[in-house]
Amino acid sequence: MGKRRRRKKKGFRNLIRQHKAATAVIALFLICICTVGGIIGAIAWNLYHDSIGIVDADDVDPTADEVKIAREDQKDSDVINVLLVGTDSRDPNAEMGRSDTMILVSYNKAQNKATAMSFLRDSLVEIDGYGQSKLGHTFAYGGVGLTINTINKQFDLDIQNYVIVNFENLVGIIDELGGIQVNLTEEEAEYYRQIGMPDIQAGTVTLTGSQALAHARNRSLDNDFGRTRRQRDVLYGIYNKVMEKKDPATLMSLINYCMTQVSTNMSVTDIYGMATDVLNAEHLRTQTAAIPEEGTYEFGTYDGMSVLNIDLDANKKYIQELLY
C-alpha cells in the first residue's frame, strides 16, 4: 500500500435549499438531471423493452457481460432511489467503458426532500466475481446491473431503477431548455476564458449546452471531488430551469424529448406518474453530497491503481441520515 494522505473536500459540504413551488420533482431528477453524464441514447418506445431485468439475488451471475439487477426490498415506501450512470462517450474505447458518473437521485416523499449523491469512481470496493477494485470499473465488468448491485451491497441501499444518457446529449437538452444558470468560481471562469469562452465571468452565469458540457467534463482544476461537484451544479442548473416550466403539458413534452436521449428501465408513464404525484409539493428541500464523506477516506494505492480507501460503516450511516 502506498503512502496515504488524508485530504478534506473543501467546499463540498451539503447544500440545502428551499423552493416555494416545487413541481414535477421526480421527472426532473430522473430525466432532465441525468444529463450530467451517460453513455448511450435510445428510442423512447424501446427503452423499457431493452432494459436490464431484475431477478432474485440467487439468479444473478456477476461475471455475465450484462449482469441482472438483484431484487431488493424497498427499505422505505416513501423513498424512491434511482441511479444515474454513464461514461464520457467522446472515445468509446477510453477507460474500457468504465463508469465516469454515478449519481444516486433520491426522493423522500414523507420528508419532502430530494437528494443528489455522487459516488466517487476511485472508491475501493468489493465487487462480486472480481474481488477488490474501483467502483468505476463495475460498468466495464458487467454493465449497469453490476454497478447497482455493488452499490446496494456495499452501502446498504435498495436501488432498482437506473437512467443512462450520453454526455453529448447534455448539449441538446440544455439548449432545449434555453440554457441553464450555474455559479462559477474565479478559477473556473479564468480557465474557461483560456479554452475559448472569452466572455465567461465568475459568479452566476447562463451557460449554453456546449458550455455546460465543458463545465461538467472539467477535471483540470482539481480532482474527482471537484468534477463531481461541477456535475451536481449542472444538475441543479437544469433543475432550476425546469422549475420554470410548471404546467403538466409542457412537462410531458419535455419528458418525451428527454426520453429519446436516455436508456432506462423506467417507462414514460412511470416517470410522468411520479411527477404528477408531487406536482403540488411545496417547500421541497434539495441537498447534494459526495460519497465518501469528508473525513471518511484516505488516498492510497491498490494493485498499482490510485484509489480511495473508504470507511464503509461511516458512509453507510451518512447515506442513511441523508436519505431517510
Side-chain angles (χ1 to χ4, degrees), residues 36-49:
V36 295
I39 54 171
I40 57 174
I43 304 301
W45 60 267
N46 203 36
L47 292 178
Y48 190 81
H49 176 73

Side-chain angles (χ1 to χ4, degrees), residues 184 188-197 214-215 218 230:
L184 301 181
E188 288 168 340
E190 174 61 26
Y191 173 73
Y192 296 143
R193 287 193 292 269
Q194 292 176 3
I195 63 170
M197 304 180 203
H215 188 56
N218 181 9
R230 281 184 279 274

Side-chain angles (χ1 to χ4, degrees), residues 255-287:
I255 291 174
N256 283 334
Y257 174 79
C258 291
M259 287 294 280
T260 67
Q261 309 298 306
V262 306
S263 176
T264 179
N265 62 349
M266 304 178 70
S267 69
V268 175
T269 302
D270 291 337
I271 294 169
Y272 188 72
M274 286 186 289
T276 55
D277 284 344
V278 295
L279 190 62
N280 296 317
E282 295 183 353
H283 306 294
L284 175 75
R285 292 184 299 137
T286 63
Q287 58 187 2

Side-chain angles (χ1 to χ4, degrees), residues 24 27 44 68 75 78 80 94 111 116 162 184 206 215 249 272 283 289 292 301:
K68 300 295 185 182
K75 295 182 179 299
D78 287 321
I80 299 170
Q111 297 185 25
Y162 65 87
L184 301 181
T206 299
H215 188 56
Y272 188 72
H283 306 294
T301 59

Side-chain angles (χ1 to χ4, degrees), residues 3-291:
K3 183 178 180 180
R4 296 178 178 178
R5 297 177 292 113
R6 186 173 295 277
R7 184 172 181 176
K8 291 185 177 181
K9 300 180 292 181
K10 297 180 180 178
F12 300 150
R13 297 185 182 278
N14 295 337
L15 304 175
I16 298 186
R17 306 184 181 107
Q18 293 289 335
H19 297 279
K20 282 189 175 182
T23 172
V25 177
I26 294 300
L28 164 66
F29 277 91
L30 302 189
I31 297 302
C32 299
I33 287 177
C34 69
T35 57
V36 295
I39 54 171
I40 57 174
I43 304 301
W45 60 267
N46 203 36
L47 292 178
Y48 190 81
H49 176 73
D50 289 341
S51 64
I52 303 301
I54 299 173
V55 300
D56 291 338
D58 291 342
D59 295 327
V60 172
D61 177 4
T63 62
D65 290 340
E66 287 192 350
V67 177
K68 300 295 185 182
I69 298 170
R71 184 174 287 105
E72 296 282 352
D73 292 332
Q74 193 171 2
K75 295 182 179 299
D76 187 324
S77 60
D78 287 321
V79 179
I80 299 170
N81 294 320
V82 178
L83 190 68
L84 313 180
V85 167
T87 62
D88 189 331
S89 65
R90 287 175 296 175
D91 179 0
N93 296 315
E95 288 290 304
M96 297 173 58
R98 297 166 187 166
S99 52
D100 189 63
T101 300
M102 292 167 285
I103 298 179
L104 174 66
V105 173
S106 180
Y107 176 63
N108 187 319
K109 183 177 181 179
Q111 297 185 25
N112 199 30
K113 68 179 179 182
T115 305
M117 179 184 296
S118 300
F119 287 87
L120 275 292
R121 59 184 181 173
D122 287 346
S123 299
L124 185 64
V125 296
E126 186 72 23
I127 304 171
D128 284 348
Y130 297 92
Q132 287 197 311
S133 192
K134 293 183 179 183
L135 179 60
H137 290 181
T138 54
F139 193 87
Y141 294 162
V144 68
L146 187 60
T147 299
I148 288 176
N149 295 344
T150 302
I151 291 176
N152 282 343
K153 187 171 184 178
Q154 295 297 301
F155 298 101
D156 194 22
L157 284 164
D158 60 357
I159 304 165
Q160 301 286 269
N161 295 313
Y162 65 87
V163 177
I164 307 172
V165 57
N166 193 308
F167 244 131
E168 298 293 341
N169 292 338
L170 176 70
V171 176
I173 294 176
I174 290 179
D175 285 340
E176 180 82 3
L177 291 169
I180 61 170
Q181 286 193 327
V182 300
N183 192 275
L184 301 181
T185 65
E186 290 284 356
E187 185 180 24
E188 288 168 340
E190 174 61 26
Y191 173 73
Y192 296 143
R193 287 193 292 269
Q194 292 176 3
I195 63 170
M197 304 180 203
D199 299 326
I200 292 292
Q201 300 297 321
T204 301
V205 299
T206 299
L207 300 181
T208 65
S210 60
Q211 290 170 336
L213 175 62
H215 188 56
R217 280 174 170 166
N218 181 9
R219 65 187 70 186
S220 301
L221 299 178
D222 35 48
N223 55 24
D224 208 33
F225 286 105
R227 182 184 66 93
T228 57
R229 188 266 301 168
R230 281 184 279 274
Q231 290 177 343
R232 294 193 303 274
D233 286 348
V234 170
L235 179 153
Y236 274 99
I238 298 172
Y239 170 81
N240 290 326
K241 193 58 178 281
V242 175
M243 286 289 289
E244 300 173 8
K245 302 177 182 296
K246 296 180 180 180
D247 76 280
T250 300
L251 172 64
M252 190 62 193
S253 176
L254 183 60
I255 291 174
N256 283 334
Y257 174 79
C258 291
M259 287 294 280
T260 67
Q261 309 298 306
V262 306
S263 176
T264 179
N265 62 349
M266 304 178 70
S267 69
V268 175
T269 302
D270 291 337
I271 294 169
Y272 188 72
M274 286 186 289
T276 55
D277 284 344
V278 295
L279 190 62
N280 296 317
E282 295 183 353
H283 306 294
L284 175 75
R285 292 184 299 137
T286 63
Q287 58 187 2
T288 71
I291 301 300

Side-chain angles (χ1 to χ4, degrees), residues 122-125 154-155 291-292 296-298 308-313 315:
D122 287 346
S123 299
L124 185 64
V125 296
Q154 295 297 301
F155 298 101
I291 301 300
T296 67
Y297 68 92
E298 294 178 337
L308 296 174
N309 294 300
I310 67 177
D311 183 333
L312 281 173
D313 288 337
N315 280 284

